[in-house]
Amino acid sequence: MARSKSSFRTVFLGAPGAGKGTQAQVLAAGKTELGPVVHISTGDILRTHVAEGTALGKQAKAFMDQGQLVPDDLIIAIVEDRLRKPDVSPAGVLPGVRPVHSGARSPATSNATASSSATSNSNASGAWILDGFPRTVPQAQALDRSLAGLGAALSNVVYFRVPSDVLVKRLTARWTCTQCGAIWNTEFKPTRVVGTCDACGGRLSQRPDDRPEAVVKRLEVFRSQTEPLLNYYRGQNLLVEIDANRTPELVLSDVLALAR
Ligand code: AP5
Ligand code: MG
């Protein structure tokens, strides 16, 4: 069934390294047929807090560095507040909503900001992507309640399927720009100059959780805590699987087809 652009309200689900952030960044840049899509990445929001040394960031860092999930109640509160921002909430700002997160304060996470902070109502189509949330069944249930309260619904849930050995290769070779947040990869998407971002000239850095031991833990956590969401969303008839072990361009074309 064809979907209107305005109904592209989707969850990107997939193991670490599956390419969720890569695809979401392309859509957020607004150069596809969808126009600008709001990119809400819980990982980027948390990294902003860590970089700024907030109380939440201090609490989250230990979990993240070890490749574990941060507790459900923390992440659910963040996303509930984010979904009430005017760029994603059909009802606009709701009374009593407190500002929670702005990613606009740290150069290290400025890309997270561009795509995941929400202070303006520039996203006329109302299209958004939740990248990395939900990751547990309680988070999915909380999301259902939040969306029902806002009078919104998911258009679909996209599962990026990639074999484990490829995930490990992608993660251990990933580098991120400290200035604009662009994602690079020494194996699959190298920069012209080693260590320097092609997009803005910023310095590249490696995420602490891309160390091999943290990668192993993250993949275990995905299997035990996040994979059950595949059946959760199958049960709601929302799950669409994509073969994400192909070029980013081919993966993007599958994602865009879902929005037509
Ligand atoms: P988060 O930042 O969400 O990390 P993640 O899920 O582990 O996902 P990644 O960002 O590693 O994978 P990705 O799919 O975005 O891959 P990418 O596009 O970058 O979360 C980090 C941590 O925060 C969690 O571990 C947890 O502690 C905490 N957290 C976050 N959300 C939470 C939640 N809801 N609940 C509790 N805790 C939470 O691509 C990876 C690499 O592959 C890149 O180098 C890229 O260039 C390359 N690549 C991408 N696509 C392709 C392709 N098609 N072909 C070849 N290479 C590709
Ligand atoms: Mg990501």
Side-chain angles (χ1 to χ4, degrees):
M1 189 180 75
R3 288 189 169 90
S4 73
K5 294 176 184 181
S6 64
S7 71
F8 192 71
R9 293 176 180 155
T10 190
V11 167
F12 279 4
L13 187 63
K20 308 178 295 293
T22 297
Q23 296 297 329
Q25 283 189 1
V26 173
L27 294 168
K31 291 182 184 154
T32 72
E33 65 197 60
L34 280 181
V37 176
V38 175
H39 173 201
I40 304 170
S41 158
T42 44
D44 287 346
I45 292 171
L46 290 169
R47 279 184 288 278
T48 299
H49 279 277
V50 171
E52 294 175 354
T54 67
L56 171 62
K58 285 180 183 143
Q59 216 176 334
K61 184 173 175 8
F63 293 102
M64 295 172 77
D65 286 355
Q66 288 170 26
Q68 291 176 341
L69 298 184
V70 305
D72 282 340
D73 54 343
L74 288 184
I75 202 81
I76 287 169
I78 288 172
V79 173
E80 282 179 350
D81 277 335
R82 184 63 187 82
L83 288 174
R84 290 166 179 245
K85 302 279 184 180
D87 60 342
V88 292
S89 168
V93 179
L94 303 179
V97 173
R98 64 198 153 85
V100 150
H101 149 261
S102 161
R105 289 163 284 170
S106 164
T109 50
S110 59
N111 184 69
T113 300
S115 50
S116 70
S117 71
T119 49
S120 72
N121 200 358
S122 58
N123 177 31
S125 73
W128 46 256
I129 298 162
L130 273 173
D131 161 11
F133 182 94
R135 277 166 127 104
T136 65
V137 170
Q139 290 181 19
Q141 291 165 335
L143 177 62
D144 286 347
R145 288 192 296 273
S146 290
L147 292 176
L150 292 165
L154 292 174
S155 52
N156 48 43
V157 173
V158 184
Y159 174 50
F160 290 71
R161 192 167 15 87
V162 177
S164 296
D165 57 326
V166 177
L167 295 170
V168 173
K169 273 191 205 146
R170 285 187 185 177
L171 290 169
T172 50
R174 169 173 51 191
W175 290 79
T176 307
C177 177
T178 54
Q179 272 190 159
C180 74
I183 302 169
W184 302 97
N185 194 293
T186 52
E187 291 283 324
F188 302 108
K189 193 184 173 192
T191 50
R192 285 189 294 269
V193 178
V194 174
T196 302
C197 178
D198 281 3
C200 75
R203 186 179 54 83
L204 304 186
S205 76
Q206 192 163 36
R207 279 174 40 174
D209 59 352
D210 281 345
R211 285 173 293 112
E213 58 277 23
V215 166
V216 168
K217 183 69 193 168
R218 286 161 68 199
L219 293 175
E220 269 172 34
V221 166
F222 175 76
R223 277 181 217 109
S224 61
Q225 299 194 51
T226 308
E227 267 189 0
L229 291 182
L230 299 180
N231 272 340
Y232 183 89
Y233 285 120
R234 264 187 208 113
Q236 294 190 6
N237 211 17
L238 286 173
L239 193 78
V240 185
E241 291 196 29
I242 285 185
D243 175 3
N245 188 22
R246 296 175 301 153
T247 65
E249 293 73 23
L250 286 174
V251 175
L252 180 66
S253 70
D254 277 7
V255 174
L256 289 173
L258 296 173
R260 288 189 191 117

